[in-house]
Amino acid sequence: MSRRILIAGNWKMNKTSAEGAALVKEIVAGLPKGNLPEVLVCPPYLTIPAVVEAAKGSPVAVGAENVHWAASGAYTGEVSTGMLLDAGLTHVIVGHSERRQYFGETDETVNLRSKAAVEAGLVTVICVGETLTERENGETASVIDRQTRKALEGISDYSKVVIAYEPVWAIGTGKTATPDMAQEVHAQIRAILTDIYGETAAESVRILYGGSMKPANAPELLAKKDIDGGLIGGASLKAPDFLALVAAGAAV
Ligand code: PGA
């Protein structure tokens, strides 16, 4: 098994162009020497050109936080895969719980967005995760099963797929799933991937953990067999924290 660890920053609605460029430059300057994990930052749409420019020639990849499935047309406020590629992006996040919670994103639209992103050749980080109520009601496994299978419907190129398990109750709350709790869900996702794509393929797909990941808890989480990196919000906004996460990823 040789899955390359992916340390991904989800900046959400934070940082201006100047701030984003400065953050990336600080990250690039502080990258550990030697073997690196894959390093990704996902800034807000408007700041993408400045961040891409700042990351140019460095190992830091840049992605978007969302994407629409249509190539173009009357979809006010949306951005297409072609536009992301045109801006020099290689990655995109799809189906983040904040999109599902605040912007009416459904399993169906997550699937449409994921399919379009994979077909465009973007590395597509598809987020799944249960809410606190769902966990308390013992529905975690069924929610993960439904979200994962629906998101992947019609996607054959698993080489572009990354799954991010983000328990909604752990996002931005300081509450982290324990490494054992996370591993249990990651193993379930791996089993779903095996069911869909077969064992060899499933072994090659990265499954990230997200939800209050920080330098203090990252090593324990990343030590788990099926945790292949992190999707990091809060701790990705400060270079020292993000660099410590990159270092934790390099140490796996
Ligand atoms: P957090 O966010 O690290 O601030 O909890 C993670 C995410 O929402 O991707």
Side-chain angles (χ1 to χ4, degrees), residues 154-185:
I155 296 179
S156 51
D157 185 4
Y158 57 83
S159 74
K160 296 292 176 204
V161 170
V162 176
I163 306 287
Y165 168 55
E166 300 206 305
V168 179
W169 48 270
I171 295 176
T173 58
K175 285 186 200 150
T176 323
T178 64
D180 285 338
M181 276 160 85
Q183 167 57 29
E184 190 183 340
V185 177

Side-chain angles (χ1 to χ4, degrees), residues 207-226:
I207 308 173
L208 314 184
Y209 171 78
S212 299
M213 194 188 243
K214 45 186 179 282
N217 59 28
E220 257 196 304
L221 286 159
L222 294 173
K224 291 292 176 187
K225 179 172 161 283
D226 290 297

Side-chain angles (χ1 to χ4, degrees), residues 10 12 96 98 166 170-172 211-213 231-234:
N10 172 14
K12 309 191 180 183
H96 190 278
E98 285 149 17
E166 300 206 305
I171 295 176
S212 299
M213 194 188 243
L231 181 56
I232 300 127

Side-chain angles (χ1 to χ4, degrees), residues 11 15-28 43 47 49-55:
W11 292 2
K15 305 284 181 194
T16 61
S17 293
E19 289 165 352
L23 176 55
V24 165
K25 283 187 182 147
E26 212 182 326
I27 291 167
V28 170
T47 67
V51 173
V52 166
E53 181 61 30

